[in-house]
Amino acid sequence: MSVLETPRIYFKGQVTWDPITSNNYNFNYDEDTGETIYPSVIDKVKKFRAQAITQVGTQGNWNPHGTHRVTFFDSAVCGFDVGAGTNTNDHFMNAAVNLQGMLVDLEPFGGISSQIFFDTMCFGVEGGYGIFASRTSRMHDRYINFARNSANSMIAGVASVVWQASFSKADGLSINAFDSFALQRLSDALKRDDVLGLTVRFNAYRTIYFDNPELTNKSPATQAAAKELIKKLNEGGFQPNPARSLLVGVIGLWREGEPPHEPGDRALIQDANSPLGSAWVRVDSASLVIDLSNSVPEVDKNLAKQDLGTLSIVAVEPTSQAVTNLGSLPYSQYDRSAYEATAGIVTVSISADAVQALTGQDIQIRNSQGDQLLAELPLRGIPATPNLYLDEGDQVTARFQVYQRGVPVSARIALQLYQTDAAGDPPSKVMQVTTDQNGGLTVPITAGAGSITAYVPSFNALDQPTNGINPQVNTYMYVRVRPADTSLAQLPPTWENVYVKVLANWNAMAPCMDNWLRLDDPVQVKAYAAILKRLTDPANFESFLFMPVTRDMSVGQRTLLYNFLDAPAVKSLLEAETETIPSFAELSRSMRRF
Amino acid sequence: MIRLELDQLSDVTDAQSMLQKAIGVEFGTLPPYLYALYSIRPGTNPQAEQLIKSVALQEMVHMCLASNILNALGGSPQLNPQKYPGPLPGDIGPDGTPLTLHIYPFSKQAMEQAMVIEQPEDPPDFPVRELMLAASPKRAVTIGQYYAALDNFLSTLPVTDWKPGRSQVVDNQFFPGQLFAINSYANAHKAIQEIVSEGEGSRQGTEYDPLDFQDDIAHYFRFGEIFYDKVLTKDNDPQGYTWGPERLGVDWSGAYPAITDPAEHDFSKDPPEAQAAQKACNQAYSAMIAALQRALNGEDGALGEAVRAMFDLRMAALHAFTVPLADGHTVAGPSFIYTPIPTGGNA
């Protein structure tokens, strides 16, 4: 199943991350209400922007002029495997891999609910060798590994993460193979009835900030870099400060029953003291294909992989605990060179008997001393919508599918479903639930007031989120409920109301918007009414250009905005002061804070 | 076809002059490309819009890379905004008559002009080594050949002529992977290879490959796709590629009814709104140049100011294309008239 099946094509390169970071802090943003927290009532947007700049030095707010853009660069196809081992001899080699999207955290204060909203992903150029994929669904991150590279201790530089999205044949996926053997094989495989399309999985690692790989948290050099950024920001213009990561990735088949957005293969989960991050395995007719893209840590800034000696792969019979040796992985198969050549995917030949036995046994990876590093958790509950956005009052049914050793279960399974707060702290609630006869779990959700919560399925003590969500262990679904703000919808659609109650939130938080539309200019806003309505239309929620990019506008705010945009342009409505005259409600509320 | 005058190269000063001319050429292509780009009505011609925009952005990158080389050789880049209609700096044309660049709205004419600007020499007739050693004092060469001659000469400069870390524009904020510091001949060679291949494609034997160093389509062929309304497609014929059969999807009627060469138009007879729109465009254009001038000479943060001004120019242009002139029918985009901004203030 999945990208671990052949044919598959490897790529590697770099990616820039340019999120606005001002909403990452609870002193700037209320993630329940989606509202900006202003430092003052008078000139609140101006002062918020100024404060955000100050926070570069005081609070680690490293990118107040971000744009949320994600851009692949220097990324190209670097190898393929059609079932006969890794090969680099093909016309498709070196084809550019392009992705441009928007990085958005469903839960902005943490880093385990990130998404990339995008429209297309391209391998190669139109008219030439290529794979052209229109979005079927957004890309999600999962399994963040906070121990990937302790030598790169700068913000999230220590971590790596798995990104995945799948592209349906029904959404216009196309391959121009010409005489490329790799593409021909992929194109042929795509024609099979049970192949839904293609899956792209990539691992982002070695993230650097301020364009300086030598920086570490709180070091004098980092403080100096922050000072330089503050100076630039204060001098004016548009001053983004994107981070960048290395990436290795793979594109392969997406078969029926496989989760589109995260690995659904057999899961080898990190042991508590293991240096290895979690991995995934597919058992073929004569081999094990192991995805170590997120597993083996680097030990320095030069990206040398930790040498754990020869790793052994074993099968453990669950009842008797009898151990069968399946094969081994010498360092040369997981060192940096191997990692970059095949996106961390390694293949180990095994006997047909072993393949048969593995249908009921757990796979483990052990070090040369026999210590368990990774152990299979046979049951996994994977959400159909890993990051779910709701509006207050919505009633929906969320769904999880239970997989056993990488295959959808065809039986009723009892499990516990935990509910945590936005931070993924120890659960506040647990439900005993049972799936249907096909391993499907439905979870009715009635969206209350604005809030963020997470749902975490658990099958036994090994994956209970008793200490909160462990992204190396747990699968989970995040749910963000936007408040209804019905009172806002009732307000007269004056410019003052629209600006203060709606647009000021993003005018403060997103100075980059000045490049495209002055949100504090009623004439411009009115002039772009048709475009604004199109970009904020919930029907375009998945689009690259959807506004607000943070997907936190409430129904009430949108109603008020549309009432203004639809109203005839009345001069008196447009002339109200906005920055200097707060509403009475704001004055009242401002006296309840300090 | 653009033909640049190639002088004999004897010392680093000559290389600096060549680089200054190259900066002028790269920058000089921007107004024609931007006018065509912004004159496309919203919602029409998405492919053409994307192609023109991609070329314009790469011309910006080329200008920055050429400036980086010049700075690395101890020079100081100067942006000298030219007038339109007019020739690119250094263009002497293939027959002694330079190409007069016009500011056309999105049209076949605009794309044809763009192809002429980017057109490579085919077949190649001018080995690089001969260029450098040529006894003839003046030669007329394509932009690609011009860079090739420069590259060859730079390879002969002593290491001491290179000043590492001097006033470099890098990709820490914009153009990831495309802008990099020039600290040595190796860096300069890489930059020139990228500039030439992105503009003209790459030469393989006696034929041109329309793909650049990243296997993307070179500028000349991107404009060709729009001009012919055909996707450049790999083919088994001896040429390797054909135009089409797939259409790109060009709708020439999707352009505003914009006048050509707005700098020659007398706006004093137009409605105040049109005059104000022109003023806003020219102010943003002037601010962009002022900030770019500082950025190319190493001022930290100035590129961010230039980019903001570029967005301001875009907004002003998009508005200008919707404001009728006195005839009530035609419109005008930016005239690209530069007015120096007093020093000391931010753009």
Side-chain angles (χ1 to χ4, degrees):
Chain A
M1 290 173 68
S2 82
V3 293
L4 301 187
E5 186 179 359
T6 56
R8 58 178 177 264
I9 292 172
Y10 306 116
F11 59 95
K12 64 179 179 180
Q14 298 195 60
V15 55
T16 61
W17 314 100
D18 190 32
I20 298 169
T21 50
S22 298
N23 71 344
N24 289 173
Y25 314 101
N26 61 8
F27 42 81
N28 284 343
Y29 182 67
D30 183 330
E31 62 179 10
D32 288 333
T33 65
E35 290 179 342
T36 300
I37 298 171
Y38 301 99
S40 69
V41 174
I42 308 297
D43 285 343
K44 62 182 186 179
V45 169
K46 189 176 169 187
K47 288 188 175 171
F48 181 91
R49 288 185 175 196
Q51 175 184 265
I53 293 172
T54 305
Q55 289 169 348
V56 174
T58 59
Q59 307 286 353
N61 184 5
W62 56 270
N63 198 16
H65 274 201
T67 58
H68 290 285
R69 296 221 174 191
V70 176
T71 308
F72 275 26
F73 68 100
D74 290 347
S75 297
V77 171
C78 62
F80 68 98
D81 190 338
V82 295
T86 305
N87 195 332
T88 57
N89 184 21
D90 189 86
H91 295 297
F92 193 45
M93 293 304 101
N94 301 317
V97 181
N98 287 308
L99 174 72
Q100 185 166 69
M102 296 289 192
L103 175 68
V104 181
D105 295 331
L106 179 143
E107 195 276 303
F109 301 164
I112 64 172
S113 63
S114 298
Q115 314 148 97
I116 299 173
F117 289 90
F118 68 104
D119 291 338
T120 58
M121 185 169 192
C122 299
F123 296 70
V125 291
E126 202 169 340
Y129 303 101
I131 302 170
F132 309 98
S134 296
R135 178 224 325 122
T136 295
S137 63
R138 75 193 85 135
M139 200 169 269
H140 294 83
D141 83 339
R142 283 300 186 265
Y143 291 96
I144 188 165
N145 179 357
F146 291 109
R148 175 64 177 264
N149 188 347
S150 58
N152 192 30
S153 59
M154 177 67 184
I155 311 179
V158 294
S160 62
V161 73
V162 177
W163 287 94
Q164 183 170 308
S166 297
F167 301 87
S168 169
K169 288 191 281 191
D171 290 325
L173 178 66
S174 67
I175 295 178
N176 288 349
F178 299 105
D179 54 351
S180 160
F181 180 59
L183 287 175
Q184 286 171 352
R185 292 295 299 270
L186 195 63
S187 185
D188 290 345
L190 206 53
K191 292 171 186 161
R192 296 172 201 155
D193 288 341
D194 68 334
V195 175
L196 300 176
L198 296 176
T199 292
V200 172
R201 186 184 299 172
F202 74 90
N203 191 261
Y205 64 107
R206 205 268 359 220
T207 303
I208 61 172
Y209 298 82
F210 295 90
D211 197 36
N212 185 347
E214 302 307 318
L215 297 184
T216 54
N217 289 328
K218 301 188 188 307
S219 70
T222 298
Q223 289 166 6
K227 272 185 186 172
E228 281 178 32
L229 177 60
I230 290 169
K231 180 172 178 287
K232 276 198 292 192
L233 289 163
N234 282 326
E235 285 178 352
F238 170 46
Q239 307 291 357
N241 182 37
R244 59 182 63 189
S245 303
L246 297 177
L247 65 88
V248 294
V250 58
I251 181 166
L253 301 180
W254 174 31
R255 284 194 191 266
E256 210 166 317
E258 294 174 356
H261 55 269
E262 67 183 83
D265 315 279
R266 299 178 70 157
L268 301 189
I269 299 301
Q270 182 182 50
D271 188 77
N273 299 313
S274 170
L276 292 184
S278 296
W280 299 273
V281 181
R282 167 187 161 83
V283 182
D284 259 338
S285 58
S287 62
L288 291 176
V289 184
I290 310 172
D291 180 355
L292 293 172
S293 62
N294 201 40
S295 292
V296 183
E298 286 84 11
V299 295
D300 56 29
K301 286 182 180 278
N302 294 323
L303 305 178
K305 288 284 192 181
Q306 184 170 353
D307 187 350
L308 295 159
T310 296
L311 304 174
S312 60
I313 305 156
V314 301
V316 179
E317 204 289 316
T319 307
S320 68
Q321 294 292 299
V323 175
T324 307
N325 192 37
L326 298 173
S328 60
L329 283 177
Y331 182 58
S332 61
Q333 285 198 38
Y334 63 86
D335 66 8
R336 179 182 177 182
S337 169
Y339 179 76
E340 292 178 354
T342 62
I345 295 173
V346 296
T347 302
V348 179
S349 297
I350 58 173
S351 69
D353 288 346
V355 169
Q356 186 61 34
L358 275 173
T359 56
Q361 297 186 348
D362 296 334
I363 300 169
Q364 293 184 2
I365 292 183
R366 299 179 172 184
N367 65 16
S368 52
Q369 287 79 45
D371 303 323
Q372 177 181 305
L373 301 178
L374 299 176
E376 182 169 10
L377 283 187
L379 289 171
R380 308 290 285 164
I382 296 180
T385 45
N387 290 346
L388 179 62
Y389 287 85
L390 299 174
D391 291 308
E392 184 178 344
D394 282 351
Q395 292 187 323
V396 299
T397 301
R399 184 177 166 82
F400 287 78
Q401 174 64 48
V402 176
Y403 291 78
Q404 184 166 29
R405 295 195 172 88
V407 180
V409 167
S410 301
R412 292 184 189 278
I413 302 286
L415 68 149
Q416 294 175 309
L417 188 63
Y418 289 86
Q419 196 170 345
T420 79
D421 63 7
D425 286 331
S428 53
K429 190 175 171 185
V430 60
M431 295 170 273
Q432 288 289 343
V433 292
T434 303
T435 71
D436 62 24
Q437 68 274 19
N438 295 313
L441 175 67
T442 52
V443 183
I445 299 175
T446 298
S451 64
I452 298 177
T453 55
Y455 292 82
V456 188
S458 168
F459 298 91
N460 56 45
L462 295 174
D463 62 5
Q464 275 178 9
T466 44
N467 294 319
I469 295 174
N470 178 347
Q472 277 291 294
V473 174
N474 298 117
T475 56
Y476 51 89
M477 174 179 71
Y478 258 94
V479 180
R480 178 164 193 174
V481 178
R482 289 161 299 211
D485 284 339
T486 47
S487 60
L488 296 187
Q490 309 300 322
L491 290 174
T494 63
W495 169 246
E496 180 178 355
N497 282 335
V498 167
Y499 183 71
V500 171
K501 304 296 184 188
V502 184
L503 298 177
N505 279 294
W506 296 285
N507 196 31
M509 196 65 74
C512 66
M513 276 303 297
D514 291 357
N515 290 336
W516 294 281
L517 178 67
R518 300 279 176 173
L519 291 174
D520 59 354
D521 181 340
V523 176
Q524 269 199 29
V525 169
K526 197 78 177 169
Y528 282 83
I531 293 174
L532 270 176
K533 288 185 72 174
R534 177 161 52 84
L535 295 181
T536 56
D537 185 341
N540 295 323
F541 186 84
E542 297 293 331
S543 169
F544 168 64
L545 289 177
F546 183 79
M547 287 175 59
V549 64
T550 41
R551 272 89 178 158
D552 52 359
M553 182 187 282
S554 69
V555 171
Q557 287 175 314
R558 186 180 296 107
T559 302
L560 177 58
L561 173 64
Y562 284 14
N563 287 343
F564 171 78
L565 296 175
D566 290 340
V570 178
K571 201 176 174 194
S572 61
L573 290 182
L574 302 179
E575 284 180 340
E577 293 267 1
T578 56
E579 277 292 289
T580 56
I581 303 178
S583 68
F584 288 114
E586 283 180 309
L587 286 169
S588 170
R589 291 167 73 95
S590 71
M591 287 186 281
R592 294 181 180 274
R593 299 193 195 114
F594 63 93
Chain B
M1 184 188 297
I2 300 294
R3 290 284 195 163
L4 299 177
E5 183 180 315
L6 183 65
D7 296 323
Q8 197 157 13
L9 289 155
S10 56
D11 60 25
V12 73
T13 311
D14 295 333
Q16 290 175 349
S17 297
M18 277 190 81
L19 284 158
Q20 179 56 54
K21 199 188 292 180
I23 291 164
V25 170
E26 302 291 358
F27 183 72
T29 61
L30 281 175
Y33 296 168
L34 292 179
Y35 197 83
L37 174 66
Y38 296 150
S39 66
I40 296 173
R41 288 182 190 272
T44 71
N45 295 292
Q47 292 87 353
E49 190 174 15
Q50 182 55 38
L51 287 170
I52 300 171
K53 182 179 167 190
S54 68
V55 173
L57 290 175
Q58 285 189 338
E59 298 296 1
M60 284 281 293
V61 171
H62 296 174
M63 179 184 68
C64 291
L65 287 175
S67 297
N68 279 354
I69 301 174
L70 178 53
N71 277 314
L73 291 175
S76 298
Q78 294 297 314
L79 280 186
N80 300 310
Q82 64 176 89
K83 292 193 168 89
Y84 302 90
L88 281 173
D91 181 20
I92 57 174
D95 56 359
T97 306
L99 174 72
T100 298
L101 288 194
H102 293 277
I103 301 291
Y104 296 119
F106 180 65
S107 57
K108 279 200 95 159
Q109 205 172 16
M111 294 303 99
E112 186 175 27
Q113 175 177 274
M115 289 175 73
V116 170
I117 294 171
E118 305 282 355
Q119 186 178 346
E121 183 74 13
D122 190 19
D125 62 350
F126 215 40
V128 170
R129 182 59 63 184
E130 289 178 20
L131 272 176
M132 189 182 71
L133 300 176
S136 171
K138 290 192 188 301
R139 303 296 300 267
V141 296
T142 69
I143 295 173
Q145 290 170 332
Y146 182 88
Y147 273 113
L150 174 64
D151 184 29
N152 223 10
F153 178 72
L154 295 180
S155 71
T156 68
L157 293 177
V159 173
T160 50
D161 277 350
W162 298 93
K163 319 249 179 297
R166 184 174 182 271
S167 303
Q168 298 293 299
V169 180
V170 294
D171 67 345
N172 59 339
Q173 289 188 286
F174 308 102
F175 306 116
Q178 299 177 70
L179 279 177
F180 51 88
I182 308 295
N183 295 315
S184 64
Y185 168 68
N187 302 145
H189 175 68
K190 179 175 180 237
I192 290 172
Q193 294 284 305
E194 294 188 4
I195 291 169
V196 173
S197 83
E198 284 179 347
E200 299 183 353
S202 55
R203 195 196 315 257
Q204 294 188 338
T206 58
E207 294 178 358
Y208 275 95
D209 185 339
L211 303 185
D212 65 19
F213 74 103
Q214 287 187 314
D215 280 354
D216 207 344
I217 299 170
H219 294 183
Y220 173 79
F221 301 96
R222 292 186 210 188
F223 287 124
E225 287 192 319
I226 305 172
F227 179 80
Y228 294 116
D229 189 13
K230 301 281 188 189
V231 175
L232 185 68
T233 304
K234 184 173 161 47
D235 193 81
N236 289 329
D237 77 6
Q239 297 282 347
Y241 287 83
T242 61
W243 296 109
E246 188 184 342
R247 286 189 60 214
L248 186 71
V250 177
D251 173 10
W252 298 114
S253 70
Y256 288 108
I259 61 172
T260 297
D261 293 330
E264 295 203 318
H265 181 80
D266 179 5
F267 286 96
S268 67
K269 299 182 176 65
D270 290 306
E273 291 82 0
Q275 294 179 34
Q278 280 302 306
K279 187 178 176 188
C281 288
N282 289 331
Q283 279 180 343
Y285 179 61
S286 299
M288 181 183 83
I289 289 173
L292 271 177
Q293 176 67 47
R294 292 187 286 123
L296 297 180
N297 283 277
E299 186 176 317
D300 200 24
L303 190 59
E305 294 178 35
V307 171
R308 170 58 53 80
M310 198 178 305
F311 278 110
D312 289 345
L313 172 60
R314 174 181 169 275
M315 287 298 289
L318 294 180
H319 175 62
F321 276 117
T322 66
V323 179
L325 300 179
D327 63 6
H329 169 63
T330 58
V331 296
S335 298
F336 298 105
I337 294 173
Y338 172 68
T339 306
I341 290 177
T343 55
N346 289 331

